[in-house]
Amino acid sequence: EPPAQTMQFTLDHIAAAAPIRFFAVGGNHDRDAFTACPSLPENLTLFGTAEFGSAHLPGGITVIGRTLPRGEMSSSEFMKGFPPADSDYRIVMLHGMLSTGTMFGGDNEFLPATALRDRGIDYLALGHLHTAKHEHLDRRCTISYPGCPMGRGFDECGQKGFVVLHINETHTARAEFVPFPGRVLHDVSLDITEVDASLHALETAASSLLDPISSDDMVRLTLRGEEAPDILRDTSYLTGRFSDRFFSFEVRDERSQRFSPRDYQTDISLRGTFLRLVSESDETPEDQAAIIRCGLDALK
């Protein structure tokens, strides 16, 4: 749950933006945050958990919303208070994930699509998914997940932003995705299988992928592919080479060894003995690869 000072910071900005009107539904991270505030700005409408609420705007536009209550609820219970279809352009706000089930809410914040279909909804504005997604619910309804306004980890890469809905006098609408001018996260994959064994070749291959990325962004370079066990390329070199070029830079090493125990049967050395011991162990292939990488680095 957001701390009180975060909520007050948010509400202060909403109040300062008047006469712009704001509408909100609580989600799984802030379901009770608004209701815990002592007062809300006059230009903010909060849709609560009791039933659907609605607000009419000039131009024949209605905004409808409800906050999912904790726990599960049947479709008939949840749709309580939902206004019947009319001639307005109707925007419905919900926080959750469309599902094929029949129950609203639960741990996954499910929203049964069948209960929302053919309800006279023109635009279904959804939260919960952190990646932008746009599709259709029925012949009339457009679904929009704008995603989060800024990525918070390398599982949320790519351009983030928000959606502006342009509605004309005839209620024809156009949704425009507007990129948010914040830092973008990039998880860049480099397959080293065909890259020459030298550090210079590795740096050149990495540069070709990283050069187009803004210096303001956050970057993870993930090394993939197969290498022979005797090729030891220190990833700390890449970290040192590129860390000053970006706001944040890290290297993830997911290389595997192109390794056959037969190649080292007659290798009379510490390396050969080590590789034979690992290959004869009961470890999984993934763990064997990690042990070989660590052991060869130690021997070097």
Side-chain angles (χ1 to χ4, degrees), residues 97 161 171 192 237 295:
M97 184 181 302
H171 290 175
I192 47 77
Y237 170 78

Side-chain angles (χ1 to χ4, degrees), residues 16 38 55 58 86 243 293:
D86 55 26
S243 59
R293 188 159 52 242

Side-chain angles (χ1 to χ4, degrees), residues 229 259-282 288 291-292 296 299:
F259 169 64
S260 173
R262 292 191 300 270
D263 297 339
Y264 297 91
Q265 289 291 339
T266 59
D267 188 345
I268 304 173
S269 65
L270 284 174
R271 182 185 66 175
T273 302
F274 168 66
L275 290 172
R276 287 192 293 274
L277 283 171
V278 176
S279 67
E280 294 165 2
S281 71
D282 295 330
Q288 284 189 10
I291 293 167
I292 288 172
L296 293 179
L299 288 173

Side-chain angles (χ1 to χ4, degrees), residues 8-289:
Q8 194 57 54
F9 177 86
T10 304
L11 295 176
D12 288 346
H13 277 277
I14 290 175
I20 296 173
R21 291 189 63 180
F22 290 78
F23 301 88
V25 293
N28 54 312
H29 292 296
D30 52 15
R31 196 186 316 273
D32 304 318
F34 285 103
T35 55
C37 296
S39 62
L40 297 178
E42 291 184 0
N43 59 327
L44 170 63
T45 299
L46 174 65
F47 296 120
T49 59
E51 63 179 25
F52 274 94
S54 60
H56 297 280
L57 302 178
I61 298 170
T62 299
V63 181
I64 305 163
R66 182 175 181 180
T67 296
L68 275 174
R70 295 188 184 277
E72 290 189 336
M73 181 176 286
S74 69
S75 295
S76 58
E77 291 178 287
F78 183 75
M79 297 306 293
K80 179 182 177 183
F82 194 89
D86 55 26
S87 61
D88 277 8
Y89 186 93
R90 308 206 318 164
I91 301 169
V92 174
M93 297 173 56
L94 292 169
H95 182 98
M97 184 181 302
L98 287 175
S99 77
T100 57
T102 59
M103 301 295 286
F104 280 84
D107 293 339
N108 293 308
E109 305 280 303
F110 281 145
L111 304 171
T114 53
L116 298 168
R117 197 170 285 131
D118 300 321
R119 293 270 187 173
I121 303 171
D122 292 287
Y123 189 84
L124 185 56
L126 298 175
H128 199 51
L129 291 186
H130 289 202
T131 300
K133 183 179 179 181
H134 312 284
E135 54 190 31
H136 291 280
L137 180 66
D138 54 40
R139 286 182 296 177
R140 176 172 174 174
C141 180
T142 298
I143 301 168
S144 178
Y145 288 96
C148 54
M150 186 179 291
R152 303 174 306 158
F154 287 103
D155 58 337
E156 297 179 358
C157 291
Q159 184 66 63
K160 303 297 182 180
F162 54 92
V163 176
V164 175
L165 188 61
H166 303 272
I167 307 170
N168 64 20
E169 295 177 351
T170 62
H171 290 175
T172 301
R174 176 177 61 87
E176 176 191 8
F177 181 79
V178 180
F180 190 76
R183 303 190 194 282
V184 178
L185 289 113
H186 306 263
D187 191 351
V188 180
S189 181
L190 172 59
D191 189 336
I192 47 77
T193 304
E194 302 300 329
V195 177
D196 185 83
S198 69
L199 282 174
H200 175 70
L202 184 62
E203 178 188 338
T204 301
S207 292
S208 66
L209 296 173
L210 300 176
D211 283 349
I213 299 175
S214 168
S215 60
D216 292 328
D217 290 349
M218 295 174 276
V219 179
R220 171 191 283 167
L221 178 65
T222 301
L223 302 180
R224 294 188 169 92
E226 292 185 329
E227 284 187 318
D230 52 352
I231 297 179
L232 298 174
R233 290 191 273 205
D234 187 1
T235 58
S236 63
Y237 170 78
L238 290 173
T239 304
R241 175 67 180 81
F242 293 105
S243 59
D244 291 339
R245 282 186 50 183
F246 303 102
F247 178 80
S248 172
F249 180 80
E250 64 180 52
V251 176
R252 170 175 283 187
D253 192 354
E254 295 184 358
R255 294 174 293 175
S256 59
Q257 267 75 41
R258 189 167 55 245
F259 169 64
S260 173
R262 292 191 300 270
D263 297 339
Y264 297 91
Q265 289 291 339
T266 59
D267 188 345
I268 304 173
S269 65
L270 284 174
R271 182 185 66 175
T273 302
F274 168 66
L275 290 172
R276 287 192 293 274
L277 283 171
V278 176
S279 67
E280 294 165 2
S281 71
D282 295 330
E283 304 292 343
T284 65
E286 292 78 11
D287 286 345
Q288 284 189 10

